[in-house]
Amino acid sequence: MSTTETGCSSTEPEVTGGLGYDETELTLGLPGAGGSKPSETDRKRGFAAAVGLNVGAASRGEDCGARSSDSSDGSVSGAIKRSAAKAQVVGWPPVRSFRRTALRSCTYVKVAVDGAPYLRKVDLEAHGGYEQLLAALEEMFSCFTVRDYPDERRLVDPVNGTEYVPTYEDKDGDWMLVGDVPWKSVLSFFLSCFLTVAAVRFNMLRA
Amino acid sequence: MVRGFGWAAAFPDEVWEHVFSFLAADADRNAVALVCRAWHRIERRSRRRVFVGNCYAVAPAAAVRRFPEVRAAAIKGKPHFADFNLVPTDWGGGAEAWVEAMAEGWPHLEELRLKRMVVSDDCLELIARSFKNFGVLSLVSCDGFSTAGLAAIAANCRSSPVHTSVGLEVAILVSVASEGVNELSLVYLLLSSADIPYLRNLRELDLHENEVEDNCLNWISHFPESFTSLVSLNIACLEGDVNTSVLECLISRCPNLKTLRLNHAMPLEKLVSLLQRAPQLVDVGTSKFSADHHPELFSKLESTFAGFKHLKSLSGIWEAGPTYLPAIYSVCESLTSLNLCYATIQSPELLKFVSRCKNLQRLWVMDLIEDNGLIAVAASCKLLQELRVFPSDPYGVAPPISLTEHGLVAISAGCLMLHSVLYFCRQMTNAALLTIANNRPNLTCFRLCIIEPHTPDYISQEPLDAGFSAIVESCKDLRRLSLSGLLTDRVFKSIGASANRLEMLSVAFAGDSDAGLHYILSGCKNLRKLEIRDCPFGDKALLDNASKLETMRSLWMSSCSVTLGACRQLALKMPRLNVEVIDERRGRPLESWPDDFPVEKLYIYRTVAGPRSDTPPCVWTV
């Protein structure tokens, strides 16, 4: 009787009976996978192709066919999960757009950068377009290249100066940085929390 | 006046007006207007309610001119498939033209109901300013406005005594009339100081499933302190927070409030304190129905709902968990309408709740109710007339919900008064449809959506022709039908032959050839609206039945096999149809495309207003 949508197990609190779990449902689909605007995603190619990225990090959905020749293959590795949703027909099943937005599944997607010690989550709806999303991703992952980039979430061990950031392990077994998803959505969701050493250099601007 | 109709002059106009006032149906009034010139004149002057099913079928100014005394207007804009993102957002359906014409020609308008129209904030402001006796505003599935527009509506609400100007008119009468001066002057005094109960103020603000931009957080506080006439408030579609204390004040000072539907943003504790102020409510839409378990909150909720002595209709219950649902068991017995279509409650709790609602006439629920739940409903809710089952996971890959054809069959057997069904499921059989048809020949609305297109009878692997044929043959009063699953031309033959009362038909992923469409258009005497998507229907059926299209309100065809040439021919042949070709690729203009160009989306509707002037770039009127 438990559904993939609500993912209820007997130990989960009632708050997940509704949208609590859905918002952190880990998919890499663009909003089209959740069904909010299938017609637009049908027409758009992968944004890497559209925007001509040369940044390693990319979030991908199953309908992003073309890959930019600029981004190296290694940058988007198997660390990215793909949602198994098949291609959707526009406007089918005939569910009102209002109902779709009212019960929408989360538009947070996981972003993995090869070699990074943890993954990030980004809310696709918070960005107006590909350019803004790209800028946000660059900012998110630039902390790996610039050692002294100010990041409030870092904890510094006063003894040896090592920096720590809080991470948690999600249901897919990936380590995610704490703070990307709003607090309320995440409460039902923490499995374990871990402080990771942040001092990992990573050059994501590979040619 | 034609000789032979001299009897029409036998009675003064007022008598005929009084007679006509008993004709509620527009069709009857239309018929009366055709009898003779006198009746035409009398009828049009006395018509108080107007329904415009397609806002482009008639020019607003013409409608206003023809019926100068209208008090209530209902207008619909976009085609039904706009609900499913098939119609471009800029297609049209703007309300300005209508609101401007109404502001000028119907200053006494009291009720306005708009559905699937684009309503701007300016429109709302115009409505607020133009109609002195405005009482009812209902916006259903509209977009284009924001809470700033709502603030304008709110701000213009009044509950004030008679204006001095009226008092002056009466005073003049007093000075002119020589007799009964004392009575008149007394009346004048009374008029100027009292709240006249028949002065209409906003009674009903109904916002149902609109896309509203939230840019004015405190729009509710724009209702003046003196405003007390609210009877019905539905803000369920608003996304943002609403100031609870302002709302509480509003509710407290409106003693006639019967309907209150809130939006999901309000936390449960605030909802409870709000509802406590209005135990007279008949129709309640709650907000979020989940919170951490607090015994105090539970008992508050319980006592609040126990206080509802007249509650008949319940909706909302967003994000409900099992914790708080038992608190409201006390209202179940009295409910006649229950809308849980946004409530993601699992089956056991749902079952417990719904099976207590013995007097339910309308039930809207998610497929989480499952077959077991529907079997329980069939056993408990003997007065059920309308059932809608919505999909909780419409895009899911695997069907984890145990909702099948058995649930619907059980309902059809147990609920003898059932006449309206909307059912989303993933499997169906001809046998089940036959049983349903035999059980419920009184069905008037049957909308079945089998989620996966082209799904056959899962046991026999046959198309579902036999099943749907049984439905139309058995249910003689069927007015609305939606088809799904694997279907050949045979089902259309049955529909064309048997569905004599059918007014609206929705078809998707069905049929083999043009014959399918031909059967529909050459039969179905009362067909008004036909909407088709992804069917192999083409030019021949359309052209052979061109005159049929003028007897219908509209026809929508998308992803079918119609060519531009056929559209051109149709437009030439039928000047009173608007043949709109919709193509969002926006290449060269329509004139340069060849006749064999495939038309992606086609919308044809009858009109006396000619081609419309507000077509966007993606729409061409052929």
Side-chain angles (χ1 to χ4, degrees):
Chain A
M1 200 190 300
S2 67
T3 68
T4 51
E5 176 196 76
T6 54
C8 283
S9 65
S10 53
T11 54
E12 299 239 11
E14 285 93 51
V15 80
T16 64
L19 297 177
Y21 195 83
D22 286 348
E23 288 182 1
T24 48
E25 182 75 37
L26 299 179
T27 66
L28 271 186
L30 291 176
S36 52
K37 285 198 168 41
S39 54
E40 282 166 30
T41 51
D42 284 349
R43 277 186 247 137
K44 286 178 182 163
R45 284 181 293 267
F47 77 92
V51 177
L53 287 183
N54 58 1
V55 178
S59 73
R60 293 291 178 93
E62 71 290 339
D63 49 356
C64 294
R67 289 186 182 212
S68 164
S69 53
D70 290 334
S71 62
S72 60
D73 282 342
S75 65
V76 181
S77 64
I80 294 181
K81 295 261 161 63
R82 284 175 187 270
S83 116
K86 50 190 191 217
Q88 288 156 37
V89 182
V90 174
W92 190 265
V95 173
R96 284 211 175 151
S97 352
F98 181 80
R99 164 167 283 275
R100 276 204 301 271
T101 48
L103 293 176
R104 97 189 116 210
S105 51
C106 184
T107 50
Y108 278 92
V109 294
K110 276 207 283 196
V111 181
V113 173
D114 217 19
Y118 48 79
L119 284 66
R120 297 295 301 267
K121 286 208 98 177
V122 63
D123 181 4
L124 294 175
E125 293 218 327
H127 305 288
Y130 287 130
E131 284 72 29
Q132 292 94 316
L133 175 62
L134 178 55
L137 287 172
E138 259 184 288
E139 206 185 299
M140 272 183 182
F141 288 96
S142 63
C143 57
F144 294 116
T145 55
V146 182
R147 177 81 197 262
D148 50 5
Y149 191 85
D151 184 353
E152 296 130 48
R153 293 196 208 101
R154 292 182 176 213
L155 308 167
V156 182
D157 181 341
V159 176
N160 53 21
T162 330
E163 290 175 3
Y164 294 88
V165 288
T167 60
Y168 64 96
E169 183 184 21
D170 68 18
K171 73 169 172 86
D172 298 322
D174 290 322
W175 286 99
M176 313 291 305
L177 183 72
V178 166
D180 287 328
V181 182
W183 176 245
K184 276 188 189 158
S185 316
V186 129
L187 277 178
S188 57
F189 187 68
F190 271 112
L191 294 179
S192 49
C193 196
F194 195 77
L195 288 177
T196 308
V197 175
V200 174
R201 290 180 190 275
F202 172 75
N203 182 6
M204 69 177 185
L205 294 169
R206 286 193 217 280
Chain B
M1 202 185 308
V2 176
R3 210 183 331 148
F5 287 103
W7 48 265
F11 298 109
D13 289 1
E14 294 77 22
V15 173
W16 290 121
E17 251 184 62
H18 184 69
V19 171
F20 298 162
S21 70
F22 292 99
L23 298 173
D26 284 341
D28 293 336
R29 291 197 76 108
N30 292 346
V32 145
L34 293 174
V35 168
C36 62
R37 280 195 212 279
W39 277 21
H40 187 275
R41 175 178 41 85
I42 297 164
E43 193 282 316
R44 67 173 269 264
R45 292 244 174 90
S46 59
R47 194 179 301 212
R48 291 278 186 270
R49 312 193 76 90
V50 150
F51 169 69
V52 182
N54 174 4
C55 62
Y56 293 119
V58 60
V64 168
R65 220 174 20 243
R66 163 115 189 238
F67 302 112
E69 298 299 327
V70 164
R71 297 287 183 269
I75 307 170
K76 291 189 179 180
K78 302 184 192 180
H80 176 235
F81 274 177
D83 285 354
F84 317 128
N85 287 355
L86 288 178
V87 177
T89 41
D90 56 351
W91 173 83
E96 310 78 45
W98 277 95
V99 174
E100 280 163 13
M102 291 189 287
E104 187 153 332
W106 292 336
H108 302 291
L109 190 73
E110 291 164 17
E111 298 179 18
L112 182 60
R113 294 180 165 82
L114 302 176
K115 184 168 183 179
R116 269 188 226 107
M117 297 195 76
V118 179
V119 182
S120 63
D121 283 344
D122 287 340
C123 256
L124 290 177
E125 275 167 48
L126 188 57
I127 291 169
R129 285 199 312 267
S130 311
F131 308 113
K132 298 180 190 41
N133 289 339
F134 202 66
V136 172
L137 179 63
S138 169
L139 301 174
V140 176
S141 303
C142 296
D143 62 283
F145 63 102
S146 69
T147 39
L150 296 178
I153 297 278
N156 278 279
C157 288
R158 309 182 306 284
S159 240
S160 54
V162 175
H163 291 296
T164 346
S165 57
V166 175
L168 275 173
E169 283 170 34
V170 177
I172 290 167
L173 272 174
V174 168
S175 60
V176 165
S178 50
E179 286 179 28
V181 166
N182 287 333
E183 287 91 21
L184 278 173
S185 54
L186 191 61
V187 166
Y188 167 58
L189 281 171
L190 286 171
L191 277 177
S192 61
S193 60
D195 270 352
I196 303 291
Y198 62 74
L199 242 199
R200 293 197 181 82
N201 304 279
L202 195 73
R203 300 189 299 279
E204 191 179 316
L205 180 60
D206 175 30
L207 305 172
H208 184 77
E209 294 193 353
N210 304 291
E211 307 247 348
V212 186
E213 193 196 323
D214 199 5
N215 58 4
C216 178
L217 283 177
N218 267 316
W219 70 273
I220 291 257
S221 46
H222 289 250
F223 283 111
E225 281 297 318
S226 59
F227 173 62
T228 59
S229 53
L230 205 58
V231 173
S232 171
L233 180 65
N234 173 6
I235 53 170
C237 64
L238 297 184
E239 299 251 325
D241 288 311
V242 170
N243 189 324
T244 327
S245 45
V246 173
L247 196 51
E248 254 179 72
C249 281
L250 178 64
I251 288 167
S252 306
R253 66 178 189 267
C254 295
N256 296 319
L257 193 69
K258 293 280 183 293
T259 298
L260 180 63
R261 295 192 187 178
L262 302 163
N263 63 341
H264 76 283
M266 190 175 295
L268 195 54
E269 318 82 57
K270 298 221 170 130
L271 170 73
V272 172
S273 61
L274 209 72
L275 292 179
Q276 273 171 346
R277 309 231 167 205
Q280 79 280 9
L281 288 174
V282 170
D283 181 331
V284 165
T286 71
S287 60
K288 247 199 294 243
F289 223 69
S290 68
D292 298 330
H293 182 74
H294 285 302
E296 211 183 288
L297 182 55
F298 187 96
S299 55
K300 260 199 199 164
L301 184 62
E302 208 174 14
S303 60
T304 305
F305 269 75
F308 286 134
K309 300 291 175 223
H310 307 282
L311 196 68
K312 292 248 173 299
S313 174
L314 184 63
S315 58
I317 323 254
W318 303 78
E319 296 173 37
T323 326
Y324 286 99
L325 216 51
I328 64 174
Y329 280 169
S330 57
V331 297
C332 290
E333 274 295 319
S334 60
L335 287 181
T336 57
S337 169
L338 180 59
N339 180 355
L340 296 174
C341 72
Y342 292 110
T344 47
I345 318 171
Q346 298 296 324
S347 184
E349 293 81 32
L350 206 44
L351 211 154
K352 266 190 247 163
F353 190 82
V354 182
S355 46
R356 284 163 183 257
C357 303
K358 308 248 182 283
N359 290 306
L360 220 50
Q361 292 170 20
R362 182 195 331 192
L363 175 62
W364 291 19
V365 76
M366 296 256 254
D367 58 4
L368 301 168
I369 196 169
E370 299 191 342
D371 287 339
N372 289 338
L374 288 177
I375 291 169
V377 169
S380 330
C381 309
K382 291 302 187 189
L383 303 177
L384 196 67
Q385 296 177 23
E386 180 183 330
L387 174 70
R388 294 196 189 187
V389 177
F390 294 92
S392 54
D393 184 20
Y395 308 104
V397 178
I401 304 286
S402 172
L403 179 101
T404 67
E405 75 279 14
H406 294 119
L408 188 54
V409 170
I411 293 277
S412 73
C415 302
L416 306 182
M417 301 174 66
L418 186 77
H419 65 78
S420 176
V421 170
L422 168 64
Y423 201 76
F424 280 82
C425 61
R426 290 179 190 273
Q427 64 184 54
M428 187 51 63
T429 62
N430 281 313
L433 287 172
L434 240 111
T435 311
I436 292 165
N438 287 332
N439 285 341
R440 294 275 65 75
N442 51 329
L443 284 175
T444 57
C445 170
F446 188 73
R447 297 157 72 186
L448 180 67
C449 179
I450 303 166
I451 290 181
E452 186 61 37
H454 308 297
T455 306
D457 177 324
Y458 74 96
I459 294 179
S460 67
Q461 295 304 313
E462 300 268 295
L464 291 170
D465 297 336
F468 278 106
S469 299
I471 294 277
V472 293
E473 281 156 20
S474 166
C475 307
K476 307 258 185 271
D477 285 329
L478 197 68
R479 290 201 290 273
R480 185 166 179 184
L481 178 65
S482 298
L483 305 172
S484 58
L486 182 65
L487 296 164
T488 71
D489 286 343
R490 275 174 301 163
V491 73
F492 297 111
K493 191 166 186 192
S494 308
I495 294 174
S498 308
N500 293 319
R501 293 263 167 88
L502 195 66
E503 294 175 2
M504 181 166 178
L505 179 63
S506 308
V507 187
F509 304 102
D512 311 313
S513 73
D514 245 8
L517 181 57
H518 179 75
Y519 287 132
I520 300 290
L521 292 179
S522 56
C524 295
K525 292 199 294 265
N526 283 303
L527 195 64
R528 288 212 215 133
K529 286 187 285 184
L530 180 58
E531 45 186 28
I532 302 170
R533 62 163 297 172
D534 294 273
C535 297
F537 299 152
D539 301 341
K540 189 168 186 315
L542 212 54
L543 289 170
D544 286 348
N545 294 286
S547 47
K548 168 79 171 178
L549 298 177
E550 227 182 76
T551 67
M552 294 164 49
R553 185 190 296 172
S554 66
L555 166 64
W556 169 279
M557 290 179 75
S558 57
S559 306
C560 297
S561 316
V562 181
T563 64
L564 192 53
C567 295
R568 287 177 171 140
Q569 277 184 272
L570 187 62
L572 265 172
K573 195 169 169 186
M574 311 288 304
R576 279 194 300 249
L577 291 181
N578 275 358
V579 179
E580 290 188 7
V581 168
I582 299 168
D583 192 298
E584 292 175 88
R585 286 163 293 183
R586 299 173 203 190
R588 305 170 349 244
L590 180 97
E591 291 74 33
S592 58
W593 294 341
D595 273 351
D596 60 359
F597 187 83
V599 166
E600 178 57 31
K601 295 178 184 174
L602 178 63
Y603 187 50
I604 301 171
Y605 54 90
R606 68 179 175 191
T607 177
V608 293
R612 57 182 172 116
S613 52
D614 61 350
T615 45
C618 60
V619 176
W620 286 269
T621 309
V622 177

